Each structure stands twice: as C-alpha cells, then as structure tokens.
Amino acid sequence: MNLSDSQTASQGPRRVSAMEAVLGHLRSAIERGEYAIGDKLPSEAELCRTLEVSRPVLREALRALQTMGLTVSKTGKGTFVVASAVEDPTFGDYAASDLLEVRRHVEIPVAGYAARRRTAENLDHLVHLLDRMERETDTTAWVAMDTLFHLGVAEAAQNPVFRRVIEEIRDALARQSAFLNELGGRREQSNREHRAIVEALMDGSETDAVEAMAHHLDRVETTLTDIVRPTRTDIPTEGGPEA
C-alpha cells in the first residue's frame, strides 16, 4: 500500500492527506474488529513498511486515533486498542462535547459584549492577528494564532473573568484546532468565519457578532461530527486504503 505524504486541496470532494488515509485505514480495521479491544497495533516500523509512509505521517495518525479514544499509547510498550468505535474525541483534559457546550455558553455572549466594549487597540490587535493567520501556511503556527484570536475576542469584552475562562481551555482549544485542521481542512473556512467576527466587532454590532460566533461554533461542531461519523466520500491522494 503506497500512500503519498502530500496533501492536495480541491473543489468538490476533498482529497485527503496521507495521514488521513492511514488514519482511515487503521480506524476501519479497528471498527471491523481486525484489531480487537486489548490488542496491540503493529510496531511503528512495521506499519511504516506496510503502508509505505514516513514515520512522522504514521505518528500523526496514531495521535489522532488516541484523540478519538480508540487507542492508548504506553511508553515502551506500544499502542493498544481500547474502543471499537469513536464516541467523543478528547482534547487534553476535556471531551469535545463538553468543550463545545462551554464554548457556546461563553464565547457567543462574549462576542456580543466585545462588539459593545472593544477599543481601537483591541481591533488593531485582532485585525493584525487575522491578517497573519490568512497568510500563514504552517498549521502549527496557525493553530497558535487561532487560540490567540479567541483570547483577543475575550479581552475585547473587557471582563477579565471571560479571558480567564478561555485561558483555562486554551490547550484544549489548540488541540481541537489542530485536529480539525488535520482531518477537516478547516483553516480557510475558519479564517472567513474569523473575518466575519472581526467585521461585526468593527461595526459595533452586537447582533452580528453573536451570529458570527454562533456560526463559527456551528461549523466547528459540523466538522467534528463529520470526522466522528464520516460519510466516506473523501478521495485519497494515491490509492488510499481499501474499504
């Protein structure tokens, strides 16, 4: 099985990266019972040889499996299957469903407060950050700025408690952002959603800011759902794993 390490974006069905193809192959094998709960996956070296991918690509896929709750990695022992189906991905200390529930209750009203209270300095910071995000091509750098963006909106609400809440979940937000970008191709769409939030803040429109943030979180939830319960319509880059 030969899987390319490249990733190609296109209109229509999204071409998947080698990491996504490897992840899909391993996930399907677990869900079909080829690897039962308690089983140890083949070694990294063996999987790299079998799937013909680089070790970094394989390790990204293994990390995604663990985030999905299908496996656990034990230092010096290997990766073991702990579930046969994806239920609720975990980002750091928080389950995806819990994280999204809190984000809806906090970040949507925060956007409204920010539209009413933001300062010129707040707007300059957010606009500059968004400009950098729209130019950034490195996922790791973009993810770091993504968390700064949400912190910036909280700061614009002029309530330190809001910022503290976002700071508390910052690591989980970063993990979720990386997950969605690697598996859901979210970066460009997220940039557009962030731009709509900033424009609403610039206009001082509480209604538009609330709607823009709600739409952003709706899209996050939709992408997560698509990853957890895929429709299997993506196209591998080079003859990916068979169904």
Side-chain angles (χ1 to χ4, degrees), residues 72-234:
V72 294
S73 295
K74 299 180 181 180
T75 304
K77 295 183 179 180
T79 299
F80 296 83
V81 177
V82 295
S84 59
V86 180
E87 297 296 336
D88 196 1
T90 300
F91 301 109
D93 295 331
Y94 305 111
S97 58
D98 292 339
L99 186 62
L100 185 61
E101 182 177 60
V102 169
R103 293 188 70 184
R104 286 190 181 282
H105 282 284
V106 175
E107 292 194 81
I108 292 175
V110 160
Y113 288 126
R116 287 162 41 194
R117 302 171 180 171
R118 82 290 186 274
T119 65
E121 183 179 1
N122 294 143
L123 292 177
D124 286 345
H125 171 67
L126 288 169
V127 169
H128 177 66
L129 189 58
L130 184 55
D131 287 343
R132 289 175 58 200
M133 293 175 74
E134 290 174 340
R135 295 192 301 268
E136 186 56 64
T137 58
D138 179 75
T139 297
T140 301
W142 188 92
V143 164
M145 288 187 282
D146 186 25
T147 60
L148 289 176
F149 178 85
H150 287 275
L151 277 171
V153 174
E155 289 174 347
Q158 311 304 327
N159 183 329
V161 178
F162 287 141
R163 190 189 191 287
R164 180 64 63 86
V165 172
I166 301 302
E167 189 70 60
E168 165 63 27
I169 62 174
R170 184 175 179 176
D171 177 67
L173 290 179
R175 290 170 184 262
Q176 182 186 71
S177 180
F179 184 78
L180 294 178
N181 275 281
E182 290 171 354
L183 301 181
R186 274 274 303 160
R187 191 186 309 165
E188 290 185 7
Q189 185 180 53
S190 189
N191 282 339
R192 290 193 295 270
E193 293 157 12
H194 287 165
R195 178 65 68 179
I197 293 168
V198 170
E199 289 176 353
L201 299 188
M202 293 177 71
D203 291 341
S205 173
E206 181 177 358
T207 298
D208 288 350
V210 165
E211 290 180 355
M213 184 63 79
H215 174 69
H216 178 52
L217 296 181
D218 283 344
R219 296 309 304 163
V220 167
E221 181 175 19
T222 297
T223 304
L224 272 170
T225 300
D226 289 344
I227 292 170
V228 172
R229 300 176 181 83
T231 56
R232 307 293 183 186
T233 58
D234 286 351

Side-chain angles (χ1 to χ4, degrees), residues 4-9 14-18 20 181-182 185 237:
S4 168
D5 285 6
S6 66
Q7 182 170 356
T8 305
R14 188 175 64 84
R15 290 187 177 277
V16 301
S17 67
E20 291 174 89
N181 275 281
E182 290 171 354
T237 50

